[in-house]
Amino acid sequence: MSNILDKAKEIEEYIINFRRDLHENPELSGQEFKTQEKIMKELDKLGISYKKAGNASLIGVLRGNKPGKTVALRGDIDALPIIEQSGVEFASKNSGVMHACGHDAHASMLLGAAKILSEMKDEIAGEVRFFFQEGEETFTGAKKIIEAGGMDGVDACLGMHGMPELETGYVNIQPGYRMAGCDTIYVKFEGVSGHGSVPHLAKDTIHPACTFVTDLQGIVTKNINAQDPIVISVGKFDGGTKANVVAKYTEIDISMRYFNPQVREIAHEAIKRHAKAIADAYELKVDVRIEESALSLYNDDELAALADNSITKVLGEGKNKTLPRYMGSEDMPYYFQHAKGVYAFMGYRNEEKESLYFPHHEKFKIDEDYMKYGTALHVQFALDFLNK
């Protein structure tokens, strides 16, 4: 068993206390100013230099005593607009805002890793960067750190997320696609308004838009390889103003999830093609606007193998469990555009502690025992990569 886990256990109380403070004082995406201040104070104590990025992000830098490669470790820090019902003693004091996705734990594990690594400079060949990232929930924070130069010169990066599918003490890291990319697609049909008694004198948009919505799933079944998962969901349909007025405009908001970027392009083109064909059939105008939310997350094969070895050192044999891919999305893949990366799912499930809810639930509660494992994995991975 790795001595790194022993080091994490030695500061476990520090990690838990910091996490509870963040949990009591959650801040929404892009507004994490007090969270940023608290992290800066701790980095100052550790002698780790840093610079601000975006609205409330931080890039911490720790250079070892020997030259070498650069590894980046990331922890997100934002909360969600949820009324907390977890029942914990340190529940949110910020009404209507809750750390319901565990980012308070992610930030605290990263801070714990920074604390351990700051005392191991002699063993570090190269540089470790710590990304305390705002705005993961809005898919904006990673881009801000990248714009600030955070990924300049980085050779590898690691991120992690607590999940309830795994018991505390277990981890999932495997190569390939692990989380879906996400796009929001806005379709607007424009016709000619008129009286409901004489629709032939107008150009209705509601009926064609309904035809389009029904037609969308045909794209999934007829244009996309069944081996490549994709989800197309219409979440909003808004058309017309009154029962006896032919609707001049109908707008549709679509969420699309995918793994393979080629499939994404096929779906985009098909959606545009089908929308235009239906608009032409009914003599309408149509506008299709595609907004990228997040990219699909792909774990590098070599790094996944290295991280698997790190898991064994920290937790022992058999602790890396296989999980299916998630259709949920993350902004971690934006870092992976600049350097190879790997993403870990850390187990926090403990039914005795009622730590069993999926993120974004008002009763979300983690098993705090899992944080020492996440902290140790950050440290072990960084050392293993820099010293290989």
Side-chain angles (χ1 to χ4, degrees), residues 18-323:
F18 192 81
R19 179 255 166 173
R20 291 186 175 187
D21 182 31
L22 294 186
H23 193 89
E24 278 189 324
N25 302 281
E27 296 176 295
L28 294 174
S29 304
Q31 303 173 28
E32 309 94 327
F33 305 114
K34 291 181 181 177
T35 301
Q36 184 190 53
E37 288 177 11
K38 291 173 182 177
I39 295 169
M40 287 192 295
K41 287 180 182 178
E42 295 304 314
L43 294 178
D44 285 336
K45 293 176 187 175
L46 299 175
I48 294 177
S49 62
Y50 56 82
K51 72 173 182 177
K52 295 181 179 180
N55 295 332
S57 297
L58 288 172
I59 301 170
V61 178
L62 178 65
R63 293 184 177 88
N65 290 337
K66 294 172 281 187
K69 295 173 290 188
T70 298
V71 64
L73 308 175
R74 181 271 215 154
D76 34 19
I77 64 176
D78 53 329
L80 288 157
I82 292 175
I83 298 173
E84 182 161 2
Q85 297 178 29
S86 67
V88 296
E89 294 178 2
F90 47 90
S92 172
K93 294 178 180 176
N94 186 358
S95 180
V97 183
M98 177 189 177
H99 267 298
C101 202
H103 296 185
D104 51 342
H106 302 168
S108 301
M109 291 188 293
L110 183 58
L111 183 62
K115 185 174 177 64
I116 293 171
L117 286 165
S118 69
E119 299 169 356
M120 300 180 68
K121 280 189 177 182
D122 292 342
E123 299 179 42
I124 297 174
E127 181 179 306
V128 184
R129 294 186 195 170
F130 307 95
F131 297 162
F132 294 93
Q133 183 206 301
E134 67 185 275
E136 187 281 323
E137 296 292 351
T138 54
F139 303 132
T140 57
K143 293 176 183 177
K144 287 183 168 63
I145 285 180
I146 293 165
E147 288 167 4
M151 287 297 292
D152 294 354
V154 171
D155 299 293
C157 47
L158 169 71
M160 61 179 63
H161 204 300
M163 296 301 278
E165 286 88 346
L166 296 169
E167 300 284 338
T168 299
Y170 289 88
V171 186
N172 166 260
I173 294 181
Q174 59 195 86
Y177 290 113
R178 302 303 300 138
M179 297 187 78
C182 179
D183 293 322
T184 303
I185 303 167
Y186 302 94
V187 180
K188 183 177 182 179
F189 289 96
E190 179 183 346
V192 178
S193 60
H195 198 282
S197 65
V198 284
H200 64 288
L201 300 179
K203 300 294 180 188
D204 173 48
T205 56
I206 288 181
H207 176 75
C210 288
T211 301
F212 173 72
V213 169
T214 304
D215 187 58
L216 276 175
Q217 300 311 317
I219 294 172
V220 176
T221 58
K222 304 303 179 186
N223 292 133
I224 306 296
N225 186 332
Q227 300 298 319
D228 288 311
I230 186 169
V231 177
I232 298 178
S233 301
V234 175
K236 184 180 178 182
F237 187 104
D238 184 12
T241 57
K242 199 172 184 290
N244 65 347
V245 177
V246 174
K248 181 175 182 177
Y249 298 106
T250 296
E251 299 181 37
I252 301 162
D253 293 1
I254 303 165
S255 175
M256 188 181 91
R257 309 271 175 162
Y258 67 92
F259 289 108
N260 188 331
Q262 291 179 315
V263 166
R264 177 194 192 204
E265 294 304 317
I266 292 170
H268 284 180
E269 291 307 311
I271 289 169
K272 293 174 185 175
R273 187 173 65 249
H274 283 234
K276 184 180 185 303
I278 290 171
D280 287 346
Y282 289 93
E283 301 174 285
L284 307 174
K285 295 178 183 177
V286 67
D287 177 68
V288 179
R289 181 168 62 88
I290 299 172
E291 182 181 275
E292 178 183 280
S293 295
L295 303 173
S296 52
L297 188 151
Y298 188 95
N299 277 346
D300 178 79
D301 290 12
E302 183 183 350
L303 282 187
L306 185 145
D308 179 58
N309 187 48
S310 301
I311 291 168
T312 301
K313 290 180 182 178
V314 170
L315 296 171
E317 296 285 347
K319 298 296 186 178
N320 187 4
K321 296 292 186 181
T322 299
L323 283 178

